[in-house]
Amino acid sequence: MSHRLAVLVSGTGRHLENLASLAADPAADFDAEVGVVISNRPGVGALHHAARFDLRAEVLEGAEGETDEEYGRRVFDVIRDAGADTVVLAGFLKKLWIPDDFAGRVINIHPSLLPAFGGKGCYGMRVHRAVLERGCQVSGCTVHLVDEVYDNGPILLQRWCPVEATDSASDLAARVFDEELIALPEALRRFWSR
Ligand code: GAR
C-alpha cells in the first residue's frame, strides 16, 4: 500500500529533499508520496525544496497565547485534509500536541543516540556541541515514535558513527547527518512493514 506523508519542518529541509527525491524515484523502494509540507516558520529552506518538488506547502506559525493543543489542532486539520497517514518531524522544532487518531503515527528524527542528548532545548548543533564537550567517542541518530514528552517515544532505528578527536561540531554534524539520511527512510520502511 502506498503511503502519504505529512512532513513538518522548521529549517533547511535536507530530509524533506531526501524524502521527496526517494518518493519520486520508482527504483528507490520507497512506496510513499509527500502529501503536504508544514513549516512553523516562513521563508525557510525547506519551503524552497517543497516548491522545487511542486509539493503542497503550508506555513503555520504559532499564535500569541495559543496553547500547544490549539496549535496542534490546526496542524492536524491540514494533515487530515491532505489525506496523510504518517507524519514525519524532519527538523521540526516546535512542540507538537498529537490527537488520538494520530497517536503512534508521528515519527521524529533526532541527531543523537537517545536517550542521551535529547529533551527540550537539545536540538541541531547544540546536540553536537554537547556530545563533544562530554567527550563521547560515538554519536549517531535516532528515529522514534513521538509521544507527549520531548525525544521520549519508542525507538524505531538508530545508526551510529565515531566521534574523532579533532572534530568540530560541524564536522560531527555532517558525519551524523550522513547516517540520518539512511536512517529516516529505512525507519519508515520498517514502520510501514510492521
Ligand atoms: C536534522 O539534523 C535533525 O536530526 C534535527 O534537525 C536537522 C534538520 O535538518 N532535528 C532535531 O534536532 C530535532 N530535535 P534539515 O532541516 O536540513 O532536514
Side-chain angles (χ1 to χ4, degrees), residues 18-144:
N18 188 43
L19 294 173
S21 300
L22 290 170
D25 177 0
D29 181 31
F30 191 70
D31 191 16
E33 60 186 337
V34 178
V36 67
V37 177
I38 299 174
S39 174
N40 69 318
R41 292 184 184 154
V44 292
L47 292 168
H48 296 292
H49 289 304
R52 207 158 56 79
F53 283 92
D54 202 19
L55 303 172
R56 174 178 171 186
E58 308 275 347
V59 176
L60 293 179
E61 293 180 87
E64 183 86 34
E66 186 179 43
T67 65
D68 287 343
E69 180 170 337
E70 286 163 346
Y71 178 75
R73 286 192 187 282
R74 289 202 285 133
V75 167
F76 280 93
D77 283 348
V78 173
I79 289 170
R80 285 188 206 96
D81 182 65
D85 57 78
T86 307
V87 179
V88 176
L89 308 188
F92 185 70
L93 301 180
K94 186 169 165 52
K95 179 104 170 79
L96 187 66
W97 171 89
I98 299 171
D100 288 346
D101 59 327
F102 273 87
R105 290 200 279 154
V106 181
I107 288 167
N108 182 46
I109 181 152
H110 183 78
S112 76
L113 294 172
L114 291 174
F117 304 104
K120 193 167 165 47
C122 210
Y123 58 84
M125 291 302 279
R126 294 179 188 209
V127 174
H128 304 297
R129 281 195 285 269
V131 167
L132 291 177
E133 275 164 25
R134 189 62 182 266
C136 297
Q137 296 178 7
V138 294
S139 191
C141 62
T142 303
V143 184
H144 66 97

Side-chain angles (χ1 to χ4, degrees), residues 115-182:
F117 304 104
K120 193 167 165 47
C122 210
Y123 58 84
M125 291 302 279
R126 294 179 188 209
V127 174
H128 304 297
R129 281 195 285 269
V131 167
L132 291 177
E133 275 164 25
R134 189 62 182 266
C136 297
Q137 296 178 7
V138 294
S139 191
C141 62
T142 303
V143 184
H144 66 97
L145 293 175
V146 178
D147 63 14
E148 62 288 345
V149 180
Y150 271 109
D151 297 330
N152 181 69
I155 290 170
L156 296 171
L157 182 66
Q158 291 184 305
R159 288 181 65 88
W160 70 275
C161 62
V163 178
E164 305 293 350
T166 55
D167 274 350
S168 66
S170 47
D171 294 333
L172 179 57
R175 194 175 307 114
V176 169
F177 198 78
D178 286 344
E179 301 304 324
E180 292 188 43
L181 285 177
I182 300 168

